[in-house]
Amino acid sequence: GPCGGKTTGQSRLCTFFENLGWKVYRVPETATVLLSGGIKFGDLSQDDAVAFQENLLKSMMQIENTFFSLAETCRKNCLVICDRGTMDASAFIPEEQWEEIMKRNGWNPVDLRDTRYNQIIHMVSAANGAEAFYTTEDHACRSENIELARQLDNRAAEAWVGHPYFDVIDNSTEFDTKMRRMISVVCQKLGIDTGDRLSTNARKLKFLVKGPLPADSVFPNFQDFNVEHIYLRTNSRKMQARLRKRGKNGHHSYTHTIRKPEQLGQIVEVKTPISQRDWSNMSAQADEHHLKIFKKRRCFLHNNQYFQLDIYQQPCHQRCEGLILLETYSTLPSEELQRRLPSFLTIDSEVTGRPDYSMFNLSLRDEWGVTNKFCVNIAEEAEETACGSCPGSGLDMHLHQQSPLLASSKLSSSHHAHLESIAPYNPILPTHFETMSKKLLPITSKVAISSLEDSISMDTRGIDIPSSISVVNGPVKVTNGFYIPEH
């Protein structure tokens, strides 16, 4: 709906990145183009309305593909901003007709929603939380009253539930801060250090949930996915590499992630979409010290907050049996966020930043008390004080204990020191300002991945990778509160 800041946000985002020397393409909203030609929904029969949405979707994809093709050949860093996206059409027609459209065209949700765009940003309408600012006066194609606008806004947001990088920018702050929050989440995805210019005190939060879970009918509209993680062997204990397979109903996306410290206090994380063939080939490099991680991931919106519920599945280590973790990203004060947490879940405790809830450590094959692979802080400078420095610490606390890890008497003094150093996490969030952000890179024997100030190289090891790579999370510099999520 109007006044969510979508148009203003695009303009500010465009200006911000152009000032950084980037090429920015803005894909126009296809619905506005067509509706401005004289089409009125009120004049269409139900069948005509469905046919219109199908043709709108085809037109949208062709227009987007034109800009994507231009971005692939651009010699500069390039950002593509799409005004609306493919899943938005599903918010305006009945579900069974949407399913018919997808079946008729051979489409599926993984391709339309999860892999077509690198990032989805939903700018919540002023009709939902800032009603005094809602207006349609300057919108020639908009006539919704405030209640209808609120309903359509909620339906549009729900259409994107399940995208791996979906952020909701609500009206909990004044408008200018809302715009800075939006720009900040895009910058974080691309690894751009914005210093204090866009500071919003955003953070990633993780909570331990007690089972059993309530019936599905208690949840708001949700999407379930099967997720599989495989940790790979690396040449350094201070670098982590993993594969992720995510999908449902036989359709999956595949991602290769590398995390490594560039120097003390700075972490680089690169997420690269890969093919099923690459997944199969790279799986042969699985780290024998780690078990595969299997989860059911449930994504849903509640109180304008996007949540991911990870339910660990067997086969798994005993420490993961019955483990349920809830994650979200927020700029809200702790008290307000507590009010927004799902009341239908039994929240045991907040476990943000605790290494005993790091997926890397949860996947370790051996018991923590005997392994030297337990990772406290990947960004430590000295090898002897980095991951695995305390093989004799006797770290065998049970995951579901109430007391926090920081208070455990079974940690060595070096572990205590590391935990104290990482305790004050204040992460910037990865976050339907329906956008697509692509950073496209030429492929050589090495993939050079660079931000404005940093650069690293990732060895492709002869893997069959397309002629261009879309970096979902570019190299990220952990400074001024930037943090790379574990998952």
Side-chain angles (χ1 to χ4, degrees), residues 133-172:
F133 298 95
Y134 179 83
T135 179
T136 60
E137 291 181 359
D138 298 322
H139 298 264
C141 297
R142 299 284 188 181
S143 59
E144 302 96 336
N145 61 39
I146 195 167
E147 183 57 35
L148 178 59
R150 185 181 297 115
Q151 293 176 11
L152 292 176
D153 186 72
N154 291 334
R155 287 167 59 183
E158 289 178 354
W160 293 98
V161 169
H163 191 282
Y165 304 103
F166 174 40
D167 294 277
V168 179
I169 309 297
D170 63 14
N171 295 302
S172 60

Side-chain angles (χ1 to χ4, degrees), residues 201-205 328-335 337 350 425-429:
N201 296 318
R203 56 213 158 93
K204 173 194 175 183
L205 297 168
T328 191
Y329 306 91
S330 180
T331 60
L332 298 172
S334 297
E335 298 78 10
L337 181 62
E350 182 181 344
Y425 280 124
N426 183 24
I428 296 292
L429 320 178

Side-chain angles (χ1 to χ4, degrees), residues 279-449:
W279 160 273
S280 300
N281 291 338
M282 298 175 76
S283 296
Q285 304 172 27
D287 189 336
E288 62 277 10
H289 295 100
H290 290 263
L291 298 169
K292 291 182 179 179
I293 290 285
F294 297 93
K295 308 175 187 175
K296 180 170 78 171
R297 175 166 292 174
R298 174 162 294 185
C299 306
F300 60 93
L301 278 167
H302 180 68
N303 291 332
N304 280 332
Q305 197 73 29
Y306 188 55
F307 293 96
Q308 289 190 159
L309 189 69
D310 280 348
I311 307 159
Y312 282 70
Q313 309 279 290
Q314 293 190 355
C316 63
H317 193 282
Q318 184 179 3
R319 69 173 72 97
C320 295
E321 292 181 358
L323 180 61
I324 306 174
L325 296 174
L326 180 72
E327 293 185 0
T328 191
Y329 306 91
S330 180
T331 60
L332 298 172
S334 297
E335 298 78 10
E336 176 60 27
L337 181 62
Q338 287 293 330
R339 287 192 287 270
R340 294 200 186 191
L341 290 176
S343 59
F344 50 84
L345 297 177
T346 303
I347 307 295
D348 181 288
S349 57
E350 182 181 344
V351 294
T352 305
R354 284 176 51 172
D356 55 336
Y357 289 95
S358 156
M359 191 171 62
F360 181 89
N361 293 327
L362 290 170
S363 67
L364 287 171
R365 185 179 297 273
D366 295 331
E367 297 297 332
W368 290 341
V370 298
T371 183
N372 67 344
K373 302 297 182 181
F374 189 91
C375 179
V376 175
N377 187 358
I378 194 175
E380 287 297 332
E381 184 174 36
E383 187 73 23
E384 64 271 18
T385 60
C387 310
S389 62
C390 307
S393 64
L395 185 64
D396 61 356
M397 75 289 291
H398 194 275
L399 273 173
H400 304 293
Q401 65 184 17
Q402 291 287 337
S403 57
L405 179 61
L406 288 173
S408 172
S409 61
K410 296 186 178 181
L411 297 179
S412 69
S413 59
S414 60
H415 264 140
H416 274 298
H418 293 316
L419 289 173
E420 290 170 1
S421 70
I422 63 174
Y425 280 124
N426 183 24
I428 296 292
L429 320 178
T431 190
H432 159 26
F433 180 90
E434 300 77 342
T435 68
M436 180 236 188
S437 56
K438 298 188 74 174
K439 195 175 182 184
L440 296 160
L441 309 163
I443 296 301
T444 61
S445 59
K446 286 184 180 291
V447 185
I449 303 176

